[in-house]
Amino acid sequence: MVSPIDPTSAAFLLAENRSQPMHVGGLQLFEKPEGAGRNYVREMYEEMRDGKDIAPLFLKHPHRSLGTAGRLVWENDTQFDIEHHLRHSALPRPGRVRELLELCGRLHGTRLAWERPLWEAHVIEGLRDGRVAMYTKTHHALVDGISAMRLIQSVLSTDPDRRGMPAPWGFLPSSAKAAKPADKAEHDLAQVPIHALRTAFGITAEAAGLPAALLRTLNKGLRNETSALSLYAPARCSTTASPGRAGSRRRTGRSSGSAPSARPPGRR
């Protein structure tokens, strides 16, 4: 089945080029639980990889052809391969944050292929302090800033004893997706750091109307600049990666968050 891509998302797709990728990157750092074995990270990766339920959002990719009259549509990936999207990596020694950011910079500098769903996740081990990193990359046509933050919050817990959290791309049961009361939603929103809201509301405002968003995007492209899009992940010791200046090589920036005892997704 196919569904039309809305004009704003289509603008982000069409405005993309080699020097101006339109994806959003996020880097999160997690501490291992007490008693974690030597193969903990590998086992966590395999558990996420072997999950059978993938949310429909993460199974679709953009497509256009004569059959769609040249119009961009979302089409389900009939050859979906989780191992293309979820990958396990290890840092070279000495495993400093410098090596981590260099790896994420290389990952962030490559565009997402339209032939596949527009997202990637990389589980990274080898940090000398024993922490586990997770770098994610999602196209802005697939998810906006507010939705991305809500998604991340839905799969993380501040309870150090809670296990079995789903992966961000996992299919959540209907009970977990039930609408929250207004006061509860306002309370949750109040917990999001103010600079994260400013970033997210800026993205939402930019995507509010096709003409303004498209003109701004094309103007930045003509000036050989990139949009300042970043995904803030409310995880303990979190780091965000955002596009830098022109060119396919990207820079990474660090930003600390606070959600005590956040645990890696998918690990029981």
Side-chain angles (χ1 to χ4, degrees), residues 36-234:
R38 184 175 182 179
N39 296 322
Y40 176 83
V41 179
R42 179 69 190 184
E43 292 170 358
M44 183 183 73
Y45 161 77
E46 291 176 349
E47 187 169 340
M48 290 191 289
R49 180 198 64 190
D50 297 338
K52 301 300 181 184
D53 297 324
I54 308 295
L57 175 69
F58 296 96
L59 291 172
K60 62 184 184 178
H61 67 93
H63 170 75
R64 64 177 173 179
S65 64
L66 291 177
T68 65
R71 184 176 182 181
L72 278 169
V73 298
W74 291 117
E75 182 178 67
N76 287 336
D77 185 2
T78 57
Q79 302 179 35
F80 179 78
D81 179 9
I82 185 64
E83 293 192 57
H84 173 82
H85 299 275
L86 175 63
R87 304 174 190 178
H88 182 200
S89 303
L91 295 176
R93 291 183 179 181
R96 299 166 299 182
V97 172
R98 177 184 299 178
E99 281 76 40
L100 176 62
L101 294 181
E102 286 177 353
L103 172 60
C104 292
R106 290 193 298 272
L107 297 173
H108 198 68
T110 58
R111 293 168 58 187
L112 293 162
W114 284 23
E115 293 76 15
R116 299 176 184 268
L118 302 175
W119 65 277
E120 290 179 8
H122 299 259
V123 178
I124 306 169
E125 62 177 320
L127 280 163
R128 62 184 177 185
D129 61 7
R131 289 182 295 177
V132 182
M134 187 168 182
Y135 167 77
T136 54
K137 181 166 68 174
T138 310
H139 201 284
H140 192 56
L142 197 66
V143 63
D144 61 53
I146 287 288
S147 299
M149 286 194 296
R150 288 176 176 168
L151 175 63
I152 292 296
Q153 285 184 312
S154 71
V155 298
L156 294 178
S157 173
T158 57
D159 182 355
D161 298 320
R162 189 176 179 186
R163 296 292 188 271
M165 300 300 293
W169 54 89
F171 184 80
L172 297 176
S174 56
S175 59
K177 297 186 292 184
K180 299 179 180 179
D183 56 344
K184 180 64 166 58
E186 291 175 2
H187 174 75
D188 289 347
L189 193 60
Q191 305 307 309
V192 181
I194 187 64
H195 67 276
L197 286 177
R198 285 171 181 160
T199 298
F201 281 124
I203 294 173
T204 305
E206 184 173 337
L210 171 61
L214 183 56
L215 285 175
R216 278 194 294 270
T217 300
L218 293 178
N219 182 43
K220 289 179 179 180
L222 290 174
R223 288 186 288 133
N224 208 18
E225 298 179 1
T226 58
S227 297
L229 305 176
S230 62
L231 169 58
Y232 181 95

